[in-house]
Amino acid sequence: MGIFKIEDNKLSRQINLLLEKLFPINRSLTGEGNLKTLEILNEIIPLNIKYINSGEKVFDWTIPKVWSIKTAYVKDSSGKKIIDFGDNNLHVVNYSIPINKKVTFKELELRLHTLKDLPKAIPYRTSYYKEDWGFCIQYEKFLKLDKNETYEVFIDSKLENKSMVYADFTIKGEINKEYAFSTYFCHPSMANDNLSGLIIQTLLASMISKQNPYYSYRFIFVPETIGAITYCSLNTQIMKNIEAGFILSNVGGPGNFSFKESFDNKHYINFVIEQAFKDLKLKYKTYPFDIHGSDERQYSSINFRINMPSVHKDKYYEYKEYHTSLDNLDFVNSDNLMQSFYVYKKIIDILESNRTYLNNKTECEVHLGKYDLYPKMSGHINQKVSGEKNELELDQILWLLFLCDGSKNILEISKHTSFNPIKLFNIAEKLKKKGILSIAK
Ligand code: ZN
């Protein structure tokens, strides 16, 4: 049994409600859809919503202008809208500058993005750092366009010096050692990338905030890349105190679980993820750290070097619906998200079980019988026929007493002995209550 408890039906309802509310919103690096998104999450956890002005420098980068868009369409000469932003916000290249002109098919074609291999999908395209414009359409629709037509292209958008919004939420535990969770909310109407990460991170934060955790937790909500760079730049000292963390991204697909290792694959945070999959009897694939990916690129950069693996249920780049209109609410559902929630919940349970203990009785073995810790009948220690249920526990007690010299924590002892860390923790706490173990640090 985990340390944290949650109610199943309530969780499923919450996930569905959030998917419905958040999916239609047009998000980007900046803009009112982003604030609207954070305000919805703010109903669940009290976010610290923060603003940074366009033009401000964050390390090597500059906060972009704020993009807003009212309408956008392509009309044929009869006035019929053949592409309409109102139908799907992926139809317009994200960050398109305003445009209002007549173009030939040849000119229009240069501005259209399609996916030949996925003819029913609208691709997701952005042009954040170069002023540009364009439309994205289904390849099957593109094939039907009249090559002799003159088209009217209209994008009613603005790029203004305003401010970029982001947020965080911290939970103080018994000790200051901190784990960070980071997710991004800059994608318009797509579900796995990355509404799924946004929702799971919010619900995990909500769950932990209702408990009394041992460790402290930091939840970071940013537009991808520029937001994480901003966060690192404005919190340099705080970031250096983060023990390790996770990138919450692409956790709601129908496929198998996987995880992307942190840059140091020997770091215990990777072991924790594998242990969680093992405990839940889930199959998973391991992706080694790669320089491409999400915001671990910022958090793990030379100045910070935070180990930030990520659990995925259909990892980005690995499913055909990725970055298209087919990454929608048919692809992602609350059951998939619940599974990911439980994986992360298990990860947190394991992290919460990690302590470093000291055996107070270092001079030879402890007389276990004196503390009612020894099986009643002795002499059968290597005979697996006794059926005495304490037998395994006895092994765990002996290993804990042998190894708890203050140099090894529960995760290291678990790795050394192959005993489950949560079980070891529960036994160690029992030994602590009897005055045999104490907390080393
Ligand atoms: Zn993406």
Side-chain angles (χ1 to χ4, degrees), residues 124 184 187 193 224 322-323:
Y124 164 54
Y184 53 93
H187 288 40
D193 188 19
E224 203 173 15
Y322 170 70
H323 276 190

Side-chain angles (χ1 to χ4, degrees), residues 200-320:
I200 293 307
Q201 173 157 313
T202 304
L203 296 176
L204 287 170
S206 166
M207 173 190 78
I208 300 174
S209 71
K210 290 176 188 133
Q211 319 284 335
N212 297 306
Y214 183 70
Y215 293 101
S216 296
Y217 294 88
R218 176 173 302 270
F219 296 88
I220 303 169
F221 299 82
V222 284
E224 203 173 15
T225 311
I226 186 71
I229 292 169
T230 300
Y231 200 87
C232 288
S233 143
L234 298 176
N235 297 285
T236 310
Q237 253 349 87
I238 286 170
M239 299 307 286
K240 285 190 172 176
N241 292 331
I242 294 172
E243 168 76 9
F246 305 89
I247 301 292
L248 269 286
S249 152
N250 290 242
V251 288
N256 286 333
F257 277 105
S258 63
F259 91 100
K260 180 190 172 188
E261 291 177 331
S262 67
F263 67 91
D264 172 9
N265 67 357
K266 300 273 179 292
H267 192 277
Y268 72 86
I269 204 76
N270 300 298
F271 166 74
V272 170
I273 291 178
E274 290 185 295
Q275 184 67 44
F277 282 133
K278 212 163 101 186
D279 283 0
L280 294 168
K281 298 184 173 57
L282 290 169
K283 276 194 194 141
Y284 65 96
K285 184 175 172 180
T286 306
Y287 293 97
F289 180 78
D290 179 73
I291 206 60
H292 300 284
S294 185
D295 285 331
E296 66 278 14
R297 302 202 311 261
Q298 317 311 332
Y299 302 125
S300 306
S301 64
I302 294 171
N303 195 48
F304 300 100
R305 284 291 191 248
I306 304 168
N307 276 276
M308 291 277 234
S310 46
V311 167
H312 299 289
K313 195 155 158 40
D314 288 293
K315 184 181 174 289
Y316 46 77
Y317 313 148
E318 303 286 325
Y319 56 102
K320 66 179 191 315

